[in-house]
Amino acid sequence: MEIITSPADMAAWSAATRKSGLTIGLVPTMGALHEGHLSLVNESQKRTGATVMSIFVNPTQFGQGEDYDAYPRVLEADAEKARAVGCAAVFAPPASAMYPVGYKTYVDVEELGGKLCGRARPGHFRGVATVVLKFFNIVRPDEAFFGQKDAQQAIVLKRMVLDLNVPVTLTVCPTVRSRDGLALSSRNAYLTPAERAAAPAICKGLTAAASLYLAGERNAAKLIAAVKAILAASPLIVPEYIEIVDTVSLQSLDVIDGPVLMAVACRTGVSRTRLIDNTVLGGSL
Ligand code: PAF
């Protein structure tokens, strides 16, 4: 497995790989790899000839006061995991190569980027869309793989790919969870032991809402109330939003009559870690 740090070398590697007849799958990550990331690589391996994983803590998607400096950076360990799971290359550029002096261009997916997490994280999805389009242009993958845990990110990126005619197929893979239901996230490492013990309440709430949906409930407020009631028993897990939205427009819905995203964001009481999770009712992303 090659570790590549320059965009020009990455583009040359991809061109040579394509010339050899292989399709390319891209798994974009910010490192601190867990089983969720590795499941994206597994899916890419099934569908493409060579998998590239990007590992880049992208400064433009972090707001002021967010955890850009604290975000775990463990490139050596990550590269070892990427190698073990069968990646053909890791692309790990320095920030100066992605955003050189004089950098001025950003991708803004209007409206979608301002909803749900976008309200608490203004500019976040602009940073995500910008860096992912840059990765697409450098790596030129046939397919790219994202986790459903970051559902809004996947929806924003699908819109970008459609709107800008980007020749890549996006696949959204199921959220990988711990045994107790907590969605895997590199940020779970910030949780105090008590927060970690309480955090599965988010998944429990979503599961309760999904059961009500399966039993025929279509009133969004009732499903939201079910999640709220479960979170209320875990004072360390404070909801920031619980919403039911259209899976394409992210418009909030009162009544469910098609596939919907039920999305939750919480802030923990001590470490102030932001946890997100979701379920798709009546369809998939
Ligand atoms: O999901 C992530 O880890 C990041 O948002 C991504 C897609 C790698 C862009 O920096």
Side-chain angles (χ1 to χ4, degrees), residues 34-37 39-40 146-151 172-178 181-185 188 203 206 261-262 276-280 285:
H34 51 63
E35 289 299 322
H37 298 113
S39 76
L40 303 179
F146 297 88
Q148 189 190 313
K149 201 207 85 184
D150 297 304
V172 182
C173 300
T175 302
V176 178
R177 299 177 181 281
S178 308
L182 179 64
L184 297 192
S185 163
N188 292 350
C203 171
L206 286 166
L261 171 70
M262 180 166 207
I276 59 171
D277 200 352
N278 67 78
T279 184
V280 178
L285 291 187

Side-chain angles (χ1 to χ4, degrees), residues 68-222:
Y68 176 67
D69 290 329
Y71 202 86
R73 289 164 173 84
V74 286
L75 183 58
E76 263 183 40
D78 284 344
E80 199 35 58
K81 288 180 188 166
R83 184 196 321 274
V85 76
C87 287
V90 159
F91 178 45
S96 59
M98 293 298 280
Y99 300 106
V101 174
Y103 189 88
K104 291 284 180 236
T105 307
Y106 294 88
V107 180
D108 188 8
V109 181
E110 291 181 354
E111 291 180 22
L112 299 190
K115 296 185 187 296
L116 301 178
C117 288
R119 285 198 292 273
R121 307 189 71 190
H124 169 70
F125 291 103
R126 174 186 189 250
V128 169
T130 300
V131 82
V132 170
L133 185 61
K134 285 170 69 69
F135 285 136
F136 287 167
N137 286 334
I138 294 165
V139 178
R140 303 269 165 146
D142 299 278
E143 304 207 27
F145 300 84
F146 297 88
Q148 189 190 313
K149 201 207 85 184
D150 297 304
Q152 184 177 9
Q153 166 171 285
I155 290 165
V156 164
L157 293 174
K158 279 190 170 190
R159 185 81 248 167
M160 175 188 81
V161 161
L162 196 66
D163 288 354
L164 299 182
N165 309 89
V166 186
V168 64
T169 303
L170 297 197
T171 297
V172 182
C173 300
T175 302
V176 178
R177 299 177 181 281
S178 308
R179 247 171 227 270
D180 59 9
L182 179 64
L184 297 192
S185 163
S186 307
R187 289 193 169 98
N188 292 350
Y190 301 152
L191 298 174
T192 66
E195 289 174 342
R196 174 63 189 81
I202 303 172
C203 171
K204 275 195 199 108
L206 286 166
T207 307
S211 302
L212 284 178
Y213 172 84
L214 283 176
E217 183 58 68
R218 294 294 181 268
N219 180 318
K222 290 205 173 141

Side-chain angles (χ1 to χ4, degrees), residues 22-25 40-51 142-145 169-173:
L22 296 176
T23 56
I24 297 175
L40 303 179
V41 174
N42 285 335
E43 193 57 28
S44 175
Q45 309 268 65
K46 283 188 211 146
R47 298 171 58 136
T48 64
T51 297
D142 299 278
E143 304 207 27
F145 300 84
T169 303
L170 297 197
T171 297
V172 182
C173 300

